Every structure is written in structure tokens, then in C-alpha cells.
Amino acid sequence: MILGTCRIDLHIPAAGSLKGKRAVIKSLKERIRNRMNVSVAEVDHQDFWQRAALGVAVVSNEKKHADQVLAAVVRLVRSEPRVEIIDIRVEFL
């Protein structure tokens, strides 16, 4: 069993309040969940208006598959025009 995790640190330049940030993050998390078979949650920077960190996890029987799924998640996040990616960290256990 392979567990793949990915932490994606984001900047949300147009967010002028926590409410605005949470709307963007909620929408992004729902799109990730609906299109990929992964778990996703906001894992850091909850009290900052323009920062967020998403944690994504996938369980697979092959590292290659887990890597492909996480790469697809990153592509989906990159396609979101309301966020900028600051950092991406991927780990496999």
C-alpha cells in the first residue's frame, strides 16, 4: 500500500477578507474532490486572508499511480485563475 501526500501552499491575491478566501478555497476543494478520488483539506493559514495550504492524500497499490493522481491535482490547482501556487511538497509512504 502506498500513501501519497501533497501540500500545496497558495496565495489568493483577490481575497479581501476571510470570507472571500474561504469561498475560493471551498470551491477549489469541491472541484478536487469531484474530479479526483482523493481526500483534501485546508491544513494551514486559516487566519490569513490571502494565504492557504491544502493537504491532499491518495492511497494506491502503486507509487506510479499515486504520483499520477497527485500530478493531476496539481494541474487542476494550476488551472484555477484565482490562486497562485507558492510551494508544492509531495511525499510517499
Side-chain angles (χ1 to χ4, degrees):
M1 176 176 70
I2 301 295
L3 171 65
T5 63
C6 181
R7 178 185 166 117
I8 306 170
D9 287 301
L10 302 170
H11 178 241
I12 308 153
S17 66
L18 286 175
K19 185 177 179 179
K21 169 200 159 175
R22 289 192 177 122
V24 171
I25 295 302
K26 181 179 178 184
S27 169
L28 184 57
K29 288 189 319 183
E30 287 175 2
R31 280 196 5 214
I32 292 169
R33 280 190 196 109
N34 289 337
R35 295 186 186 180
M36 311 290 172
N37 190 15
V38 297
S39 295
V40 60
E42 184 177 2
V43 295
D44 204 359
H45 309 300
Q46 286 91 345
D47 295 330
F48 293 98
W49 291 6
Q50 296 185 333
R51 289 286 311 271
L54 293 180
V56 182
V58 61
V59 176
S60 178
N61 59 346
E62 294 181 355
K63 182 179 182 243
K64 180 179 177 181
H65 179 260
D67 189 38
Q68 290 172 342
V69 171
L70 293 176
V73 169
V74 170
R75 283 193 303 274
L76 192 149
V77 173
R78 285 184 200 265
S79 73
E80 172 57 61
R82 298 175 292 177
V83 301
E84 298 170 358
I85 295 177
I86 297 171
D87 188 34
I88 300 169
R89 282 173 267 160
V90 177
E91 294 181 19
F92 297 97
L93 304 172

